[in-house]
């Protein structure tokens, strides 16, 4: 193992009256920066920490600017052998983790199953360190069996943290880092949420070693008890789409991991890290002790050796990549053209390659039309970039802050379509559920403070419909089963609209945004709806008035409308980058 480079001492100024943080910055080819925290200055880590709290004394700005997704960061104590530091830092988390009682942790896990690692009977680390050493694990669905194997057979144990711990930590750190624009679906049911994560709980036992591997997630480890030695080396692949797991006895995973790695590095070889082949820079080791926080980015090689048995939790965060969200948007645009919707045919009358060649020639113009209709803003409207806050509500987890109001904000993919027990659903149940989710744009007050919207009364602007968005009347979804015609006296639902944005890029057509809302007295939304049905695109010039102001702002925020560019509105957030829709 190569020796780490020499460290140099530096300081970082903290905002306000806080003391300077002591940073041990390794040489450029070392993968980790170590920050020493004074016991008297240590801050307690809550269940919903921001980065200033979690990484104190390092600031959020310094972390995001200099280290996030680049180097590992180790926040530790400047004194050796003190329990006061751990008590100050992780006492709240320890309490939430049942005072680190393994039996309760296993019983209250979010996991369906518990994993236990099989160990060398002789506890011989030299055997475990050999290249042939891999982890063999067993998956246990019965918690009593898992508890017995951990307590009696001394198997190291892995499971997810209890829902209350997992959901709050994941929600807070997705928002703090901006991964997936801070989106999070605690139910795990959404397939289109751009942010995802889980909290892994590791209950280590004596002499346990997790050998070299790297992950595709961003990770924040919090050591609640015991000590682990982390050995690190920078990988060659930035933002991997899959991990590399030679530490696991899973030969069936090798080909898929190699295929993913070879997309960006054809020289990559499956196995433990090799300098200048699959790794760069020096190997560096740190001891992570109770109260310490350790961040390490996706793609960083690491192995973990248990020095003293204990409990640690790892917040593992994931986000959709730009390739995914762009291709999903193009998928929806392609479905709007019958030539793209055609099944692939290759027979005496149709040559599949010829048809595909013609379509691919038109692909650049499709991308250009998307860019002219809003482009990035159409794919990522403001509501997706400013998700609501997540608040704890009880032992089963939490909920979104904006959902607590009487007028509920459906938010991204709110009010999902659901079926009854028999797979069917009556119109009455649909209408009742949508009434529960109904928003009034004139009273909507959940716009984030950091979203700038500067349209003024009397101003004339050009608006365009997002090509990834569609309006439906509520009565379109209820009239058939209600046996109501447009002429019937069901007027209450005629001014209620359902907005869906970016939904055809996944197999279930789950919407990235779905909101149910009421039109205004001036029928502003009705006019947009009629224009969409008659012309497809909605491109028009309007004057901002007291009657349409609330609905215009609401529809821009939720991604139905784009404000087109003009010389007088060049600083307008949420606008498209074109002056004309082709």
């Amino acid at each position: 193992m190569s020796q780490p480079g020499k460290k140099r001492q530096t300081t970082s100024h903290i905002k306000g009256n806080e003391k300077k943080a002591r940073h041990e910055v390794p040489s450029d080819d070392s993968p980790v920066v170590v920050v020493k925290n004074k016991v008297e200055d240590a801050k307690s880590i809550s269940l919903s920490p921001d980065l200033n709290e979690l990484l104190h004394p390092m600031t959020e700005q310094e972390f995001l600017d200099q280290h996030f997704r680049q180097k590992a960061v180790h926040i530790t104590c400047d004194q050796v052998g003190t329990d006061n530091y751990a008590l100050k830092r992780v006492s709240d988390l320890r309490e939430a983790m049942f005072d680190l009682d393994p039996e309760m942790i296993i019983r209250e896990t979010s996991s369906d199953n518990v994993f236990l690692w099989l160990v060398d009977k002789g506890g011989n680390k030299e055997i475990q360190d050999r290249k042939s050493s891999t982890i063999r694990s067993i998956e246990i669905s019965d918690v009593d069996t898992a508890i017995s194997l951990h307590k009696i057979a001394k198997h190291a144990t892995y499971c997810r943290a209890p829902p209350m711990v997992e959901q709050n930590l994941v929600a807070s750190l997705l928002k703090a880092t901006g991964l997936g624009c801070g989106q999070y679906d605690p139910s795990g049911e959404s397939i289109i949420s751009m942010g995802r994560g889980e909290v892994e709980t590791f209950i280590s036992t004596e002499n346990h070693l997790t050998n070299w591997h790297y992950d595709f997630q961003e990770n924040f480890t919090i050591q609640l008890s015991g000590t682990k030695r982390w050995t690190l080396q920078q990988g060659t692949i930035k933002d991997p789409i899959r991990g590399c797991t030679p530490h696991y006895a899973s030969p069936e995973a090798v080909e898929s991991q190699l295929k993913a790695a070879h997309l960006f590095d054809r020289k990559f070889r499956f196995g433990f890290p090799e300098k200048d082949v699959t790794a760069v820079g020096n190997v560096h080791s740190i001891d992570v002790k109770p109260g310490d926080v350790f961040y390490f980015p996706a793609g960083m090689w690491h192995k973990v050796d248990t020095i003293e048995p204990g409990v640690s939790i790892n917040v593992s965060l994931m986000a959709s990549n730009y390739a995914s969200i762009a291709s999903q948007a193009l998928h929806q645009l392609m479905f709007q053209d019958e030539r793209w919707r055609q099944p692939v045919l290759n027979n005496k009358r149709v040559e599949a390659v010829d048809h595909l060649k013609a379509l691919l020639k038109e692909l650049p113009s499709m991308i250009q039309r998307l860019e002219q209709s809003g482009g990035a803003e159409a794919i990522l409207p403001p509501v997706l970039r400013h998700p609501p806050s997540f608040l704890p509500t009880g032992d089963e987890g939490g909920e979104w802050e904006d959902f607590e109001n009487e007028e509920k904000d459906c938010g991204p993919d709110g009010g999902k379509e659901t079926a009854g027990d028999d797979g069917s659903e009556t119109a009455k149940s649909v209408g009742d559920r949508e009434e529960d989710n109904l928003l009034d744009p004139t009273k909507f007050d959940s716009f984030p403070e950091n979203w700038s919207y500067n349209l003024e009364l009397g101003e004339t602007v050009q608006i365009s419909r997002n090509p990834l968005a569609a309006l439906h009347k509520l009565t379109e979804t209820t009239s058939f089963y209600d046996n109501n015609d447009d002429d019937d006296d069901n007027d209450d639902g005629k001014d209620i609209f359902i907005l869906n944005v970016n939904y055809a890029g996944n197999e279930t057509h789950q919407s990235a945004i779905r909101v149910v809302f009421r039109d205004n007295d001036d029928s502003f939304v009705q006019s947009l709806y009629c224009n969409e049905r008659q012309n497809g695109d909605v491109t028009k010039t309007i004057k901002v008035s007291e009657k349409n102001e609330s609905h215009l702002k609401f529809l821009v925020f939720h991604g139905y409308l784009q404000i087109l560019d003009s010389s007088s509105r060049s600083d307008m957030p949420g606008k498209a980058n074109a002056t004309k829709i082709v």
Side-chain angles (χ1 to χ4, degrees), residues 405-410 434-447 495-497 515-522 525 546-555 558:
N405 301 329
E406 183 177 349
E407 292 191 58
K408 297 181 181 180
D409 177 8
C410 300
E434 302 302 8
E435 287 284 350
D436 290 340
N437 293 328
L438 184 63
L439 294 172
D440 183 349
T442 63
K443 299 178 181 179
F444 185 81
D445 60 358
S446 295
F447 301 109
D495 63 346
I496 297 176
F497 290 85
V515 286
V516 185
F517 65 99
R518 191 180 296 278
D519 196 1
N520 63 359
D521 295 337
D522 198 37
V525 181
E546 291 183 356
K547 290 185 176 181
N548 65 28
E549 179 186 25
S550 296
H551 283 71
L552 178 60
K553 183 176 182 179
F554 181 87
L555 291 174
H558 287 95

Side-chain angles (χ1 to χ4, degrees), residues 331-338 340-341 465 467-469:
H331 201 163
Q332 178 156 336
L333 295 181
M334 290 172 179
F335 273 155
Q336 295 172 18
D337 186 329
E338 64 177 82
W340 284 99
R341 294 198 306 270
R465 178 181 72 92
L468 304 176

Side-chain angles (χ1 to χ4, degrees), residues 87 234 519 541:
L87 289 174
Q234 192 68 260
D519 196 1
T541 300

